[in-house]
Coordinates of all heavy atoms in Angstrom, one line a residue:
C1 N -44.0 166.8 -21.2 CA -44.5 165.9 -22.3 C -45.5 164.9 -21.8 O -46.6 164.7 -22.4 CB -43.3 165.1 -22.9 SG -42.2 166.1 -24.0
W2 N -45.2 164.3 -20.6 CA -46.1 163.4 -20.0 C -47.5 164.1 -19.7 O -48.5 163.5 -20.0 CB -45.5 162.8 -18.7 CG -46.3 161.7 -18.1 CD1 -46.1 160.4 -18.3 CD2 -47.4 161.8 -17.2 NE1 -47.1 159.6 -17.6 CE2 -47.9 160.5 -16.9 CE3 -48.1 162.9 -16.6 CZ2 -49.0 160.2 -16.1 CZ3 -49.2 162.6 -15.8 CH2 -49.6 161.3 -15.5
S3 N -47.4 165.3 -19.2 CA -48.7 166.0 -18.9 C -49.5 166.3 -20.2 O -50.7 166.1 -20.2 CB -48.4 167.3 -18.2 OG -49.5 168.0 -17.9
V4 N -48.8 166.8 -21.2 CA -49.5 167.1 -22.5 C -50.2 165.9 -23.1 O -51.3 165.9 -23.6 CB -48.6 167.8 -23.5 CG1 -49.3 168.0 -24.8 CG2 -48.1 169.2 -23.0
H5 N -49.5 164.7 -23.0 CA -50.0 163.5 -23.6 C -51.1 162.9 -22.8 O -51.7 161.9 -23.2 CB -48.8 162.6 -24.0 CG -48.7 161.4 -23.1 ND1 -48.4 161.4 -21.7 CD2 -48.8 160.0 -23.4 CE1 -48.4 160.2 -21.2 NE2 -48.6 159.3 -22.2
N6 N -51.3 163.3 -21.5 CA -52.2 162.7 -20.6 C -53.2 163.7 -20.1 O -53.4 163.8 -18.9 CB -51.4 162.0 -19.5 CG -52.3 161.0 -18.7 OD1 -53.3 160.6 -19.2 ND2 -51.8 160.6 -17.6
C7 N -53.7 164.5 -21.0 CA -54.9 165.4 -20.7 C -54.5 166.5 -19.7 O -55.4 167.1 -19.0 CB -56.1 164.6 -20.2 SG -56.6 163.3 -21.3
G8 N -53.2 166.9 -19.6 CA -52.8 168.0 -18.8 C -52.7 167.6 -17.3 O -52.5 168.5 -16.4
R9 N -52.7 166.3 -17.0 CA -52.5 165.8 -15.7 C -51.0 165.9 -15.3 O -50.2 166.1 -16.2 CB -53.0 164.4 -15.5 CG -54.5 164.2 -15.8 CD -54.8 162.7 -15.6 NE -56.3 162.5 -15.8 CZ -56.8 162.0 -17.0 NH1 -56.0 161.6 -18.0 NH2 -58.1 161.9 -17.1
M10 N -50.7 165.7 -14.0 CA -49.4 165.7 -13.6 C -49.1 164.4 -12.8 O -50.1 163.9 -12.1 CB -49.0 166.9 -12.7 CG -48.9 168.2 -13.4 SD -47.4 168.2 -14.4 CE -47.5 169.9 -15.0
P11 N -47.9 163.8 -12.9 CA -47.7 162.6 -12.2 C -47.9 162.8 -10.7 O -47.6 163.9 -10.1 CB -46.2 162.3 -12.5 CG -45.9 163.0 -13.7 CD -46.8 164.2 -13.7
D12 N -48.5 161.8 -10.0 CA -48.7 161.8 -8.6 C -49.7 162.8 -8.1 O -49.7 163.1 -6.9 CB -47.3 162.0 -7.8 CG -46.3 161.0 -8.3 OD1 -46.6 159.8 -8.4 OD2 -45.1 161.4 -8.4
R13 N -50.5 163.3 -9.0 CA -51.6 164.2 -8.6 C -52.9 163.6 -8.9 O -53.0 162.5 -9.4 CB -51.4 165.6 -9.3 CG -50.2 166.4 -9.0 CD -50.1 166.7 -7.5 NE -51.2 167.5 -7.1 CZ -51.0 168.8 -6.9 NH1 -49.9 169.4 -7.1 NH2 -52.1 169.5 -6.4
Q14 N -54.0 164.2 -8.5 CA -55.3 163.7 -8.6 C -55.7 163.5 -10.1 O -55.3 164.3 -11.0 CB -56.3 164.6 -7.9 CG -56.1 164.6 -6.4 CD -56.3 163.3 -5.7 OE1 -57.2 162.6 -6.0 NE2 -55.3 163.0 -4.9
W15 N -56.5 162.4 -10.4 CA -56.9 162.1 -11.7 C -57.7 163.3 -12.4 O -57.5 163.5 -13.6 CB -57.8 160.9 -11.7 CG -58.2 160.4 -13.1 CD1 -59.5 160.5 -13.6 CD2 -57.4 159.8 -14.1 NE1 -59.5 159.9 -14.9 CE2 -58.2 159.5 -15.2 CE3 -56.1 159.4 -14.1 CZ2 -57.8 158.9 -16.3 CZ3 -55.6 158.8 -15.3 CH2 -56.4 158.5 -16.3
Y16 N -58.5 164.0 -11.7 CA -59.3 165.0 -12.3 C -58.7 166.4 -12.0 O -59.4 167.4 -12.0 CB -60.8 165.0 -11.8 CG -61.5 163.8 -12.4 CD1 -61.9 162.7 -11.7 CD2 -61.7 163.7 -13.8 CE1 -62.6 161.7 -12.2 CE2 -62.3 162.7 -14.4 CZ -62.8 161.6 -13.6 OH -63.4 160.6 -14.2
E17 N -57.4 166.5 -11.8 CA -56.6 167.7 -11.8 C -55.9 167.9 -13.1 O -55.2 167.0 -13.6 CB -55.6 167.7 -10.7 CG -56.2 167.9 -9.3 CD -55.0 168.1 -8.3 OE1 -54.3 167.1 -8.1 OE2 -54.9 169.1 -7.6
H18 N -56.2 169.0 -13.8 CA -55.6 169.3 -15.1 C -54.9 170.6 -15.0 O -55.5 171.6 -14.8 CB -56.7 169.3 -16.2 CG -57.5 168.0 -16.2 ND1 -57.1 166.9 -16.8 CD2 -58.7 167.7 -15.5 CE1 -58.0 165.9 -16.7 NE2 -59.0 166.4 -15.8
F19 N -53.5 170.6 -15.3 CA -52.7 171.7 -15.0 C -52.3 172.5 -16.3 O -51.8 173.6 -16.2 CB -51.4 171.2 -14.3 CG -51.7 170.7 -12.9 CD1 -52.0 169.4 -12.7 CD2 -51.6 171.5 -11.8 CE1 -52.3 168.9 -11.5 CE2 -51.8 171.0 -10.6 CZ -52.2 169.7 -10.4
T20 N -52.5 171.9 -17.4 CA -52.2 172.5 -18.7 C -53.0 172.0 -19.8 O -53.7 170.9 -19.6 CB -50.7 172.4 -19.0 OG1 -50.3 173.2 -20.1 CG2 -50.3 170.9 -19.3
I21 N -53.0 172.6 -21.0 CA -53.7 172.1 -22.1 C -53.0 170.8 -22.6 O -51.8 170.7 -22.6 CB -53.8 173.1 -23.2 CG1 -54.8 172.7 -24.3 CG2 -52.5 173.5 -23.8 CD1 -56.2 172.7 -23.9
G22 N -53.8 169.8 -22.9 CA -53.3 168.6 -23.4 C -54.4 167.7 -24.0 O -55.5 168.2 -24.3
G23 N -54.1 166.5 -24.2 CA -55.1 165.6 -24.8 C -54.8 164.2 -24.5 O -53.7 163.9 -23.9
N24 N -55.7 163.3 -24.8 CA -55.4 161.9 -24.6 C -54.6 161.4 -25.9 O -55.2 161.0 -26.9 CB -56.7 161.0 -24.4 CG -56.4 159.6 -24.3 OD1 -55.2 159.1 -24.3 ND2 -57.4 158.7 -24.2
Y25 N -53.3 161.5 -25.8 CA -52.4 161.1 -26.9 C -51.7 159.8 -26.6 O -50.7 159.5 -27.2 CB -51.4 162.2 -27.2 CG -52.1 163.5 -27.5 CD1 -51.6 164.7 -27.0 CD2 -53.1 163.6 -28.5 CE1 -52.2 165.9 -27.3 CE2 -53.6 164.8 -28.8 CZ -53.2 166.0 -28.2 OH -53.7 167.2 -28.6
R26 N -52.2 159.0 -25.6 CA -51.5 157.8 -25.1 C -51.5 156.7 -26.2 O -52.5 156.4 -26.8 CB -52.1 157.3 -23.8 CG -52.1 158.3 -22.7 CD -52.6 157.7 -21.4 NE -54.0 157.3 -21.5 CZ -55.1 158.0 -21.2 NH1 -54.9 159.2 -20.8 NH2 -56.3 157.5 -21.3
L27 N -50.4 156.0 -26.3 CA -50.3 154.8 -27.2 C -51.1 153.7 -26.6 O -51.2 153.5 -25.4 CB -48.8 154.4 -27.4 CG -48.5 153.4 -28.4 CD1 -48.7 154.0 -29.8 CD2 -47.1 152.9 -28.3
S28 N -51.7 152.8 -27.4 CA -52.5 151.7 -26.9 C -51.6 150.5 -26.6 O -50.5 150.4 -27.1 CB -53.5 151.3 -28.0 OG -53.0 150.5 -29.0
E29 N -52.1 149.6 -25.8 CA -51.4 148.4 -25.4 C -51.2 147.5 -26.6 O -50.2 146.8 -26.7 CB -52.1 147.7 -24.3 CG -52.0 148.3 -23.0 CD -50.5 148.1 -22.4 OE1 -50.2 147.0 -22.0 OE2 -49.8 149.1 -22.5
F30 N -52.1 147.5 -27.6 CA -52.0 146.7 -28.8 C -50.8 147.1 -29.6 O -50.0 146.3 -30.1 CB -53.2 146.7 -29.6 CG -54.4 146.1 -28.9 CD1 -55.7 146.6 -29.2 CD2 -54.3 145.1 -28.0 CE1 -56.8 146.1 -28.6 CE2 -55.4 144.5 -27.4 CZ -56.7 145.0 -27.7
Q31 N -50.6 148.4 -29.7 CA -49.5 148.9 -30.5 C -48.2 148.7 -29.7 O -47.1 148.3 -30.3 CB -49.6 150.4 -30.8 CG -50.7 150.7 -31.8 CD -51.1 152.1 -31.8 OE1 -51.5 152.7 -30.8 NE2 -51.1 152.8 -33.0

């Protein structure tokens, strides 16, 4: 779930590594 909501990244890996299909679904700080 974390990967899908964060552009297919994985925790503790490089920012521009994308391991699966995903998107920027992150909640904003204001919300």
Side-chain angles (χ1 to χ4, degrees):
C1 287
W2 189 92
S3 180
V4 172
H5 106 296
N6 198 13
C7 304
R9 300 181 177 102
M10 286 292 184
D12 305 320
R13 296 301 298 259
Q14 295 298 313
W15 183 252
Y16 288 114
E17 285 186 298
H18 305 274
F19 295 86
T20 187
I21 189 71
N24 178 3
Y25 301 133
R26 301 183 301 265
L27 191 69
S28 81
E29 282 292 282
F30 296 147
Q31 290 165 306

